[in-house]
Amino acid sequence: MLFSVLLAAAGSVGVALCSTTQKRTSTFEWFGVNESGAEFGTGTYPGTLGTNYIWPYNSTITTLVSDGFNAFRIPFSMERLIPDEMTGDFASAYLEDMKELVNHITLTKGAYAILDPHNFGRYYSTVFTSTSDFKAFWTKVAGEFKDNSKVIFDVNNEFHDEEESNVVALNQAAINGIRAAGATTQYIFVEGNSYSGAWTWATVNDDMKDLTDTQDKIIYEMHQYLDSDGSGTSSTCVSSTIGKERITAATQWLIDNGKKGVLGEYAGGANSDCLSAVKGMLNYMADNTDVWMGAFWWGGGPWWGDYIYSFEPPSGTAYTYYLSSLESFV
């Protein structure tokens, strides 16, 4: 999701690809929802809990698990977790709140928690380039969750407008840092440049294929919205078939390079065109579960109000419109 939306909320196809008419034979490994709030209040640090930012509610997680969802991506702020410098000390209260939520998701409900520093490749609004600092950040964070195999580490949300070589190097540094912490059982979601868009992945992020992991648990996280500019700021989808169309090249890239991916963010407006586009995209992914491991709706969270994509029960715009359709994929 583009940075501006968070500000507003706080205030050639290969034959290897399967036909969409083929019967789906397996479900996704992870199918869930982004649960926002802890990353809100961008620019106000550390901010006040309940005023500038909020953690997702345990009761919401419980409801969504009962609906069949098994994974939750938790955006958070790097500046609130480690406030002074990237290699500094934790803010203890923020860390404890994060742990409490992770424990509810993973230990109480048995689902997966994806930890997502929702920083767009920035720290205090400045593009960071120090691989040693970023490795240290992730070694510190991963060390807190190294014994929980249901935690997944998402390197950083939506790098954009920076050198591709920097994005690749930072992803590799994060992988190395996570493993250095002794976190060896967890998957790592890596994200690319240009907002990690699936529709541009094969051309913009091809160098990401060279990332390595001693545990061979890299998952390529892409995002895809279906409005005209792919920003996820409109309830109007380009067409009823745009979902599949926008992830076709990325699917081929995953196949060609022997990689696995997830859609870390996707959404559409509450209308018939978007519903058809979303279902078409998910059906296509389900027909290609050899490379697609799952998908996460954007977005849930207690402060979205009447947001066009809100998946917050019981009355979020997208929750009431899409739940019955998404339940067929859980």
Side-chain angles (χ1 to χ4, degrees):
M1 176 58 61
L2 290 183
F3 182 64
S4 58
V5 176
L6 290 182
L7 287 176
S12 94
V13 179
V15 296
L17 275 66
C18 301
S19 165
T20 56
T21 60
Q22 183 178 355
K23 186 180 186 297
R24 191 177 57 169
T25 57
S26 62
T27 56
F28 297 116
E29 183 77 13
W30 307 294
F31 198 64
V33 179
N34 285 268
E35 278 294 323
S36 286
E39 83 283 22
F40 280 15
T42 302
T44 303
Y45 304 119
T48 301
L49 178 62
T51 299
N52 304 111
Y53 69 95
I54 191 76
W55 289 95
Y57 298 152
N58 287 350
S59 59
T60 295
I61 302 299
T62 298
T63 296
L64 292 171
V65 169
S66 71
D67 290 332
F69 298 98
N70 75 336
F72 301 92
R73 183 170 178 253
I74 309 301
F76 68 90
S77 164
M78 292 173 67
E79 296 88 349
R80 290 198 181 106
L81 183 62
I82 301 182
D84 296 326
E85 56 184 352
M86 203 178 292
T87 58
D89 296 327
F90 286 121
S92 58
Y94 194 82
L95 175 63
E96 289 308 309
D97 287 344
M98 176 186 288
K99 285 183 172 180
E100 193 278 332
L101 176 62
V102 167
N103 286 341
H104 180 75
I105 293 170
T106 62
L107 303 181
T108 303
K109 305 312 299 182
Y112 288 87
I114 296 85
L115 296 182
D116 159 39
H118 211 77
N119 278 65
F120 304 87
R122 275 88 176 145
Y123 186 69
Y124 286 104
S125 302
T126 299
V127 173
F128 54 84
T129 60
S130 172
T131 54
S132 61
D133 286 359
F134 197 47
K135 178 181 178 181
F137 172 87
W138 267 115
T139 299
K140 196 172 185 70
V141 174
E144 296 293 318
F145 300 95
K146 65 181 181 180
D147 297 323
N148 189 336
S149 62
K150 285 190 172 289
V151 170
I152 296 171
F153 302 115
D154 181 342
V155 167
N156 211 262
N157 182 70
E158 293 189 351
F159 295 96
H160 67 91
D161 297 291
E162 53 189 286
E163 293 295 326
E164 182 67 9
S165 59
N166 185 53
V167 174
V168 175
L170 289 169
N171 273 280
Q172 188 62 64
I175 294 166
N176 296 345
I178 290 165
R179 299 311 183 207
T184 58
T185 63
Q186 293 88 351
Y187 285 94
I188 300 174
F189 288 3
V190 297
E191 295 202 37
N193 213 348
S194 193
Y195 298 94
S196 215
W199 62 337
T200 60
W201 185 276
T203 54
V204 172
N205 290 303
D206 186 53
D207 288 348
M208 293 280 285
K209 66 189 178 188
D210 296 326
L211 294 172
T212 60
D213 173 26
T214 56
Q215 304 303 309
D216 194 26
K217 286 181 172 288
I218 294 174
I219 305 294
Y220 289 80
E221 180 182 329
M222 307 178 196
H223 298 175
Q224 193 57 65
Y225 295 95
L226 310 179
D227 47 355
S228 60
D229 60 359
S231 64
T233 56
S234 171
S235 61
T236 301
C237 292
V238 172
S239 72
S240 62
T241 59
I242 193 63
K244 175 187 172 182
E245 291 164 7
R246 283 196 172 164
I247 67 166
T248 296
T251 305
Q252 189 66 57
W253 184 90
L254 292 168
I255 292 170
D256 290 346
N257 291 288
K259 308 298 185 183
K260 293 184 181 295
V262 295
L263 275 189
E265 296 181 17
Y266 74 98
N271 56 71
S272 59
D273 275 352
C274 289
L275 177 61
S276 294
V278 167
K279 290 172 66 176
M281 180 173 68
L282 292 174
N283 277 319
Y284 180 67
M285 292 173 66
D287 286 339
N288 287 280
T289 50
D290 53 332
V291 294
W292 286 113
M293 301 286 284
F296 300 82
W297 183 275
W298 182 277
W303 280 3
W304 281 124
D306 61 358
Y307 175 50
I308 56 174
Y309 301 149
S310 174
F311 208 81
E312 189 73 0
S315 59
T317 301
Y319 182 78
T320 57
Y321 189 83
Y322 276 93
L323 179 61
S324 62
S325 295
L326 297 188
E327 283 179 325
S328 65
F329 295 94
V330 300

